[in-house]
Amino acid sequence: KEWLRRFPTIKDVARASTHEVLEAWQGLGYNRRALSIKKAAESIVARHDSKVPKSVFDLVKLPGIGSYTASAVITFAYNRPLVFIETNIRTVFLHHFFEDRDDIDDRELLPRIEQALDDKSPREWYWALMDYGAHLKKEHKNPSRRSKHHTVQSRFEGSDRQVRGKIITLLIADKKATMAHIQKVLDISADRLKSILTGLKRDGLITQTGKTIMLVG
């Protein structure tokens, strides 16, 4: 709700500074996704008259968008019946049609998803599938474990992912900080900090001048 309040239109996202975008994004997921959204918004304003494209062909050219995400955007934004898959949708079809098998490729699921798709109300249908899939995970041993594409996410507490988030949060509050200050606040080794900062720079989230770290933009 805070994100939509601050950025009600594509133009608002495109015009915002990186600092403003990352500040509003806190708690919504990986920070690099916020950068992708901003870059995508800038491209939509410049190339598509500030309107989200209605074709997979155009959407996949935007930062951070693959074919499944593009199909999901078109389905939910424009209520068009395109086939896509995500973890909860996968769960539903694995649970009902592949109960006795493991290592199942998504290519086996897609024809069934297409066959079941509600052409008249695809948006509501996918909403229902996602809710149902989340329910199944609570009631049964996660069916997604039988998928060939299933991965177990590494522990978050104490991970580099957590430290990355803390660095961004610190820079949002203080605008910039020295490496020594960040190291002291986070209580991590200098070598580990350098490695994490290298990743943040590679992802386009921070810049570094000497030993001073700042958010991009």
Side-chain angles (χ1 to χ4, degrees), residues 88-145:
N88 288 322
I89 294 171
R90 181 184 291 119
T91 293
V92 173
F93 286 86
L94 287 172
H95 176 75
H96 284 285
F97 299 105
F98 297 90
E99 190 173 4
D100 300 322
R101 287 181 52 199
D102 293 319
D103 202 34
I104 301 155
D105 195 287
D106 281 350
R107 287 175 293 185
E108 292 189 67
L109 302 183
L110 290 172
R112 293 181 183 272
I113 294 172
E114 182 175 16
Q115 186 178 15
L117 181 58
D118 185 337
D119 291 338
K120 294 182 179 179
S121 302
R123 181 190 290 146
E124 287 76 9
W125 171 245
Y126 276 121
W127 279 338
L129 278 182
M130 290 177 176
D131 284 347
Y132 182 41
H135 169 75
L136 287 173
K137 287 179 179 179
K138 295 177 181 178
E139 297 296 317
H140 303 272
K141 184 178 179 180
N142 186 1
S144 288
R145 295 178 182 178

Side-chain angles (χ1 to χ4, degrees), residues 109-211:
L109 302 183
L110 290 172
R112 293 181 183 272
I113 294 172
E114 182 175 16
Q115 186 178 15
L117 181 58
D118 185 337
D119 291 338
K120 294 182 179 179
S121 302
R123 181 190 290 146
E124 287 76 9
W125 171 245
Y126 276 121
W127 279 338
L129 278 182
M130 290 177 176
D131 284 347
Y132 182 41
H135 169 75
L136 287 173
K137 287 179 179 179
K138 295 177 181 178
E139 297 296 317
H140 303 272
K141 184 178 179 180
N142 186 1
S144 288
R145 295 178 182 178
R146 298 198 302 276
S147 170
K148 182 178 181 179
H149 311 279
H150 178 69
T151 57
V152 179
Q153 194 171 57
S154 59
R155 183 171 174 266
F156 179 72
E157 190 65 30
S159 67
D160 285 358
R161 288 183 293 127
Q162 185 184 42
V163 175
R164 283 170 58 103
K166 288 182 176 180
I167 291 172
I168 296 301
T169 300
L170 190 154
L171 293 175
I172 288 171
D174 296 338
K175 308 295 184 183
K176 61 182 179 180
T178 64
M179 290 179 63
H181 177 67
I182 295 173
Q183 184 182 355
K184 181 179 179 180
V185 171
L186 300 184
D187 190 23
I188 62 174
S189 70
D191 287 342
R192 186 183 180 195
L193 177 59
K194 288 179 183 178
S195 175
I196 292 172
L197 291 176
T198 297
L200 289 170
K201 284 185 283 188
R202 184 173 57 246
D203 290 341
L205 286 160
I206 65 169
T207 59
Q208 182 174 352
T209 304
K211 294 187 177 182

